[in-house]
Amino acid sequence: VFRLAALSHLAPVTDRYGYNSLVASPEFVVSDLMLDTTIQWQQPPARIHVRIPVGNQIFGLTLDTTSHSATLLSLDQQSVLQQGSYAAGDGQSVHLIASGFDQQIAVSINGQMPFPELPVEHAQPPDEPVEASAAPVGDHRPDPARAAGISLLIERQKRWALGISGASANVTRLNMYRDVFYTPGRRRNAVKSDYVIPENCYFVQGDNSPVSSDSRNWEKPVVPHAFLVGKPFLVHLPSKPAILQFAGREWRIRIPDWERIRYIH
């Protein structure tokens, strides 16, 4: 069962970018995540619950849809950490964002924060980075024994969870965002030391950051403001894969992803 799960849908969130599938570099598990979801109902549920792991600690967020209150708890210590209220919105839905980025808990409900960000004191980073190369990439099939080991590891990890009690509801949107950062030993352009950025200068990072040549590996990492000659107005990448068929032949190509193309105001 574990082997089949590891070879199918069960896998950790990693730092691999889909458009870098041909780049020969290892994958590492990313634990800094953010939940962005919208929940709708006809009869409001009594509670909405979110489990938020940060480092080696687990926190719980509970929304009371009747009193429009939010409570943040330490599930390890069984103690209340923060409480606040939020706007009711349309009364039939809630837009919830919960983040564990940068070793702190941040929550937004219907566009407002019910309480300030909470730094997680004494939160330890995850254990040594776990290579996730057992996940299928392209036509590669991982070693079954290694895949089973990865799956067992995933089973033991502290996961995010979303739950509803007291009524039925529909999750109309559910996105998980990752905060990918680069440290020595991870990517070829990993950050190896701190940078001091002078006034009127910029630290530049390429959009395809795992393989970009940018401030992280330039001899002079900063770019003076005087060197900027224009302002970008359009985002057109990443593209998406497609198949072109003609005369009984097929070609794999990249085409614009119109849902991602946008103007910069």
Side-chain angles (χ1 to χ4, degrees):
V1 172
F2 288 121
R3 174 179 174 273
L4 291 176
L7 295 177
S8 59
H9 63 280
L10 182 61
V13 178
T14 73
D15 61 355
R16 172 170 288 275
Y17 283 17
Y19 45 87
N20 282 337
S21 58
L22 299 180
V23 176
S25 56
E27 294 181 61
F28 292 90
V29 173
V30 176
S31 57
D32 282 16
L33 301 174
M34 180 176 73
L35 169 70
D36 182 355
T37 185
T38 299
I39 302 172
Q40 294 182 337
W41 56 76
Q42 292 184 345
Q43 296 294 328
R47 299 284 191 277
I48 298 173
H49 309 275
V50 182
R51 186 172 63 190
I52 308 171
V54 179
N56 289 330
Q57 300 186 43
I58 300 182
F59 302 87
L61 174 67
T62 298
L63 275 59
D64 187 317
T65 59
T66 302
S67 63
H68 306 114
S69 62
T71 304
L72 181 66
L73 309 97
S74 168
L75 298 185
D76 297 316
Q77 302 175 9
Q78 294 296 309
S79 59
V80 174
L81 303 175
Q82 297 267 39
Q83 287 184 311
S85 58
Y86 63 91
D90 60 10
Q92 296 182 324
S93 66
V94 65
H95 178 205
L96 169 64
I97 299 176
S99 168
F101 288 172
D102 300 327
Q103 298 292 297
Q104 63 180 0
I105 306 294
V107 175
S108 171
I109 306 171
N110 292 335
Q112 297 180 348
M113 298 182 67
F115 37 73
E117 300 97 333
L118 177 67
V120 180
E121 296 182 358
H122 310 299
Q124 299 297 320
D127 296 332
E128 289 299 318
V130 179
E131 292 188 25
S133 55
V137 178
D139 296 329
H140 170 68
R141 305 304 297 179
D143 174 72
R146 179 168 172 75
I150 291 290
S151 181
L152 285 170
L153 175 65
I154 297 168
E155 284 296 311
R156 299 189 185 109
Q157 286 181 339
K158 298 176 179 178
R159 303 181 186 178
W160 286 69
L162 174 65
I164 298 170
S165 61
S168 61
N170 294 322
V171 177
T172 59
R173 182 178 64 174
L174 179 64
N175 295 321
M176 292 297 296
Y177 296 95
R178 59 184 180 176
D179 188 14
V180 179
F181 48 89
Y182 303 97
T183 54
R186 292 199 170 190
R187 293 294 190 186
R188 72 181 188 186
N189 291 339
V191 175
K192 298 179 176 62
S193 61
D194 295 335
Y195 291 104
V196 177
I197 304 175
E199 188 175 357
N200 294 323
C201 291
Y202 299 91
F203 184 92
V204 180
Q205 185 170 331
D207 62 333
N208 192 355
S209 53
V211 295
S212 293
S213 175
D214 51 34
S215 288
R216 293 169 296 171
N217 54 356
W218 294 341
E219 182 178 353
K220 296 181 179 180
V222 297
V223 177
H225 180 80
F227 286 9
L228 303 183
V229 297
K231 178 181 177 181
F233 67 92
L234 182 71
V235 175
H236 70 95
L237 290 175
S239 57
K240 63 181 180 180
I243 297 178
L244 176 63
Q245 296 179 335
F246 180 75
R249 300 181 62 185
E250 289 187 354
W251 292 268
R252 296 185 180 275
I253 61 174
R254 306 288 300 188
I255 62 174
D257 187 344
W258 298 107
E259 294 184 355
R260 294 192 174 189
I261 294 177
R262 60 192 184 277
Y263 286 102
I264 302 175
H265 300 289

